[in-house]
Amino acid sequence: MIVTRMQTYRSEGVEPGISPEASFGTDESLAEFRELVASAGAQVVAELLQRRQRPEPATLVGAGKVEEIAGVAASTEADLVLFDHDLSPTQLRNLETALPCRVLDRTQLILDIFARHARTREGQLQVELAQLEYMLPRLTGRGKAMSQLGGGIGTRGLVRRSWRRIDGRFSGGSIRSRLIWNRCGVFVGSSDSVANRHLCHGGAGGYTNAGKSTLFNCLTGAHVLQSSRMFATLDPKLRAVDLPSHRKVLLSDTVGFIRNLPHTLVTSFRATLEEVEQAEVLLHVRDAASTYGAEQKEQVEKVLAELDALKKPRIEVLNKIDLLTEHERAGLTSRGEVLVSARSGEGMDALLHAIDEALQSDPVIEAELTFRNTRVECWLPSRRAW
């Protein structure tokens, strides 16, 4: 498998070769893309990078770079070329014509990882819906390639389905796609009934690989899969947590976010991300040891804005403080975040108290009663809605 990335740079105001993208930088972006590739189960045999003032409309990269990719693919016997960009239908067709192997872009790779990790029926249906909608404009002009799909990266979630059958599923005004979405709605309704029980609801979200699942297990005593692979936990998990005030909160662990998360994925996986929408308080779990913490926070807030959840009460949780020195920790204590280590359990009591204080519903009422009162009538304003 060959990984390809193209960077654009401006001719004014930015030095040549410096990307104007979010301040992740080339090395960080490539490292993140390598993690995505590894999560898909592939092995990278070559990496190529090109810097251009503007993308090539026909092939994204220049004609000379396309020839170089073709030569590397032939010499390494690679069966797949991955682009760390979204390719238009025209670019995808032109590249597959010029290269001796299959071509996938960033969104297709992420969808494949989602398909690999989806365990519930709801998650599998959401993956299939997103894949079908993304493939529809890319079917035109396939010609003899409209044959039975094989296996491998990019085809998971669409097992043994032909291009012609995929095209047929969208004929008639996308009836089949709406049918799949309606079937997903059944599962959404069932999850709503769980979330609307008489329990406060908190959601743990954040950048992928920030340690959300490890933190979730530490708080709840659950055994959710903990993995350094991206999107290892796709299906949301719900567990009750006892707070210091003796209240219970229903805590959810959701899928992690990532740089340039395609809007299509946010829309298709809205049912999965509804745990974030319904939460009364959000736990924004961040990697305290990451050198790109500010940029990762910005990417998460972009997704929260799309979910209309940016104004919800939010607790900034800096995880992995066990990887910091004492001097680095001292610089974080005055910023208002809750410092924790999900691996060692440090800071969990402070986090539970922070959740307790942030919850607005089911408030704790303190009352002073005298011993003379033999009958006490308790009245809670919230009971009017019961």
Side-chain angles (χ1 to χ4, degrees), residues 3 14 64 103 159 278 282 326 341:
V3 170
V14 180
V103 177
V159 181
Q278 296 172 355
L282 297 178
E326 291 297 330
S341 171

Side-chain angles (χ1 to χ4, degrees), residues 40 80 102 104 112 150-156:
L80 187 62
R102 293 171 53 228
L104 290 182
D112 183 85
I153 296 175
T155 61
R156 280 185 280 250

Side-chain angles (χ1 to χ4, degrees), residues 69-367:
I69 296 172
V72 174
S75 61
T76 59
E77 298 183 352
D79 56 358
L80 187 62
V81 174
L82 292 171
F83 281 80
D84 189 19
H85 295 270
D86 284 338
L87 299 173
S88 68
T90 300
Q91 291 172 341
L92 182 63
R93 286 193 296 270
N94 292 338
L95 287 169
E96 287 189 334
T97 301
L99 300 178
C101 55
R102 293 171 53 228
V103 177
L104 290 182
D105 63 9
R106 180 184 176 87
T107 296
Q108 289 174 296
L109 177 64
I110 294 176
L111 282 172
D112 183 85
I113 298 172
F114 274 36
R116 185 180 189 182
H117 292 151
R119 294 292 180 266
T120 65
R121 185 58 178 160
E122 176 191 358
Q124 292 168 354
L125 286 171
Q126 288 172 337
V127 169
E128 185 175 10
L129 172 64
Q131 287 178 319
L132 291 173
E133 288 184 336
Y134 193 75
M135 283 183 176
L136 177 61
R138 290 161 174 79
L139 298 180
T140 306
R142 289 252 172 197
K144 63 180 181 181
M146 300 268 284
S147 58
Q148 191 76 20
L149 283 174
I153 296 175
T155 61
R156 280 185 280 250
L158 298 170
V159 181
R160 305 303 297 170
R161 197 185 302 281
S162 68
W163 290 108
R164 294 186 186 278
R165 289 180 61 195
I166 292 173
D167 192 25
R169 294 192 71 172
F170 279 90
S171 60
S174 301
I175 296 177
R176 292 292 292 175
S177 68
R178 289 199 299 271
L179 176 61
I180 294 176
W181 183 249
N182 289 337
R183 292 174 67 186
C184 286
V186 175
F187 294 97
V188 175
S190 63
S191 65
D192 285 347
S193 62
V194 174
N196 289 330
R197 291 176 182 173
H198 182 54
L199 285 176
C200 304
H201 189 195
Y207 208 79
T208 187
N209 206 16
K212 295 183 302 300
S213 297
T214 307
L215 180 66
F216 181 81
N217 289 341
C218 188
L219 287 173
T220 65
H223 300 284
V224 174
L225 174 64
Q226 300 172 195
S227 174
S228 59
R229 300 297 189 194
M230 291 186 173
F231 305 120
T233 52
L234 176 60
D235 302 311
K237 304 295 187 298
L238 295 171
R239 295 291 188 277
V241 179
D242 292 318
L243 298 176
S245 64
H246 304 291
R247 292 183 294 178
K248 284 184 179 290
V249 61
L250 196 63
L251 188 64
S252 61
D253 176 30
T254 59
V255 63
F257 306 142
I258 195 174
R259 173 182 59 89
N260 295 335
L261 186 66
H263 179 76
T264 305
L265 296 182
V266 177
T267 303
S268 298
F269 287 85
R270 200 173 187 90
T272 300
L273 297 173
E274 273 185 352
E275 299 297 340
V276 174
E277 292 181 295
Q278 296 172 355
E280 291 184 41
V281 58
L282 297 178
L283 305 184
H284 181 190
V285 184
R286 294 156 54 190
D287 185 353
S290 174
T291 56
Y292 293 90
E295 289 78 10
Q296 292 177 354
K297 178 183 177 182
E298 181 182 351
Q299 296 296 323
V300 171
E301 289 178 345
K302 286 182 180 179
V303 180
L304 292 178
E306 291 191 53
L307 297 172
D308 296 326
L310 195 57
K311 296 182 179 179
K312 287 180 176 291
R314 188 164 78 241
I315 302 174
E316 298 292 334
V317 183
L318 294 185
N319 191 22
K320 304 184 183 181
I321 62 171
D322 53 301
L323 302 179
L324 302 179
T325 64
E326 291 297 330
H327 178 70
E328 290 172 330
R329 289 194 191 190
L332 298 175
T333 53
S334 60
R335 291 166 42 180
E337 295 96 346
V338 181
L339 308 183
V340 301
S341 171
R343 177 175 294 179
S344 66
E346 182 181 356
M348 292 299 125
D349 290 339
L351 178 57
L352 290 174
H353 278 92
I355 298 173
D356 225 350
E357 294 177 1
L359 289 176
Q360 301 297 324
S361 63
D362 191 19
V364 177
I365 300 178
E366 296 183 3

